[in-house]
Amino acid sequence: MPLARIYEVITFYNFFKLTPPGKHKVAVCMGTACYLKGAPEVLKEVKTILNVEEGKTTKDGNFYLDVVRCLGCCGLAPVMKIDEKIYGKVKKQEVLEILSKYMKEG
Ligand code: FES
């Protein structure tokens, strides 16, 4: 199979990554409900604290930041998810506390 065909497939589906994902996947919802309830502020705070852009992994490999369109719990907007845990009604001021639970020690 030509290498170009493999590349075509892995770059088409977002389930596949060309670089290893971080240990913890942070997903910030930017769906309509979350957007209107302050998700842009939450996302900005996550990016600032982790010093990482959407679709990228932090330099220490601990976090991968993803932006999603709806996590299915709009009543809790704004919502962010770390690994399998949902955090609802997230305020910008709470982001550091939430992320610190997943930060490496030392
Ligand atoms: S829009 Fe964010 S959970 Fe639905």
Side-chain angles (χ1 to χ4, degrees):
M1 179 178 288
L3 190 58
R5 178 73 181 128
I6 296 169
Y7 186 79
E8 179 183 86
V9 170
I10 61 176
T11 55
F12 181 80
Y13 295 103
N14 66 359
F15 304 107
F16 298 118
K17 310 264 182 275
L18 292 171
T19 55
K23 181 178 175 191
H24 301 290
K25 182 180 176 186
V26 179
V28 178
C29 179
M30 289 290 271
T32 305
C34 290
Y35 188 90
L36 294 174
K37 292 276 192 165
E41 290 274 299
V42 171
L43 178 60
K44 187 176 171 195
E45 190 71 0
V46 171
K47 285 178 168 181
T48 301
I49 292 169
L50 297 180
N51 190 27
V52 71
E53 291 299 317
E54 305 164 32
K56 302 286 182 189
T57 301
T58 54
K59 286 185 179 140
D60 65 1
N62 203 33
F63 293 98
Y64 173 79
L65 176 59
D66 200 9
V67 172
V68 296
R69 294 300 159 211
C70 184
L71 288 166
C73 44
C74 310
L76 297 175
V79 176
M80 65 186 276
K81 182 177 163 189
I82 302 182
D83 299 329
E84 297 306 313
K85 181 153 178 57
I86 296 281
Y87 293 91
K89 298 187 186 291
V90 178
K91 294 180 178 67
K92 178 185 165 188
Q93 301 87 330
E94 299 169 340
V95 172
L96 178 58
E97 184 185 336
I98 292 169
L99 289 172
S100 64
K101 297 174 189 168
Y102 300 87
M103 290 178 177
K104 288 180 179 171
E105 293 150 11

